[in-house]
Amino acid sequence: MSNVSVITGGAGGMGLATAKVVGNDHSLVICDVRQDRLDAAASALDALGIAYQAVNCDVTDRRAVVDLFDVASGLGRIASVIHTAGVSPSMGSAEYVMRTNAIGTLNVNECFFDIAAEGAAIVNVASMAAHLLPENMVPTDRFPQALKDQEAFMKDMLAACSIVPEEMQSGIAYAVSKSFVRWYAVAQCERFNGKGLRVVSVSPGSIDTEMGRLEADAGAGALVADAAVPRWGKREEMADLLAFCASDKAGYLTGTDILNDGGVVASVTERARQSADS
């Protein structure tokens, strides 16, 4: 039976780069909500001789995610899921950002939990933004609500974002939603371990992708020049990390977040400390 890897957002910059790595030794299922991007990704994978199934899937739709996993299960044993699907602050309202990033992550992970067999792993993409948002702005105590009542969770999350002017709320929603992604890997680790499953999150910095460049003139882009590695991260650098975290080589890795941001958070944190001491 072949090992199957599912990559959500598989037609995006990081997702497609990861598919090119994982597709060398796994049966591949890529999904994306945009058919035009799926078609372009299919052409790129065809050119490399990588076999795949492409599925148009909106991760905020639980039924669509169930159908996605049905397709993957029909190809063999689900060995890994790499969940890169998500949106940035410039792409929509606070509600859209929160629902896509938080509810999308919940749907993909819970469906994976329901269907995956022992030894499988899921890797979620969070963000350095989740490391930079002050803790008193993160409604962590309300995060468990997502597992019980998604609409109540959304109401609580949007209320947390409403403390800033409307034009800033998408940015806060992004950081809060990615904080939820980080929280999920930690909080659900023991439950996943009970079935022999691993769950990890990875927090990229400013990565040179179509979505990443949308924030070039905003906070994420502005931080690049001050990073310990003062450049945009390469999608291939993220792809190799995501593929490793999902592989058997990382079999001891679970319940944690890996920050891969060129040292931005370290620099910001240390500068803040020095400023407070001066």
Side-chain angles (χ1 to χ4, degrees), residues 17 37 47 50 60 69 79 89 139 169 178 188 201 216 225 242 255 258:
R37 294 207 314 178
I50 294 176
T60 68
F69 278 98
Q169 289 180 16
K178 293 301 189 177
Q188 304 309 309
S201 65
L242 292 169
I258 298 174

Side-chain angles (χ1 to χ4, degrees), residues 95 98-99 103 150-159:
E95 196 277 343
M98 185 65 66
R99 188 172 297 278
I103 299 300
Q150 289 189 8
E151 293 312 310
F153 167 79
M154 284 293 298
K155 183 178 179 181
D156 288 342
M157 295 303 104
L158 295 179

Side-chain angles (χ1 to χ4, degrees), residues 221-275:
L223 288 169
V224 171
D226 292 330
V229 181
R231 63 169 173 81
W232 287 76
K234 300 174 183 178
R235 63 191 70 188
E236 292 80 10
E237 291 170 323
M238 280 303 306
D240 286 336
L241 176 58
L242 292 169
F244 170 76
C245 290
S247 74
D248 291 340
K249 293 179 181 178
Y252 200 52
L253 183 69
T254 192
T256 192
D257 179 80
I258 298 174
L259 179 62
N260 189 29
D261 70 334
V264 167
V265 172
S267 297
V268 169
T269 302
E270 178 60 15
R271 290 177 188 183
R273 185 196 66 78
Q274 291 176 2
S275 178

Side-chain angles (χ1 to χ4, degrees), residues 129-147:
H131 293 258
L132 294 171
L133 191 66
E135 286 188 13
N136 62 359
M137 295 182 67
V138 183
T140 310
D141 62 325
R142 306 307 299 161
F143 284 171
Q145 183 85 330
L147 295 162

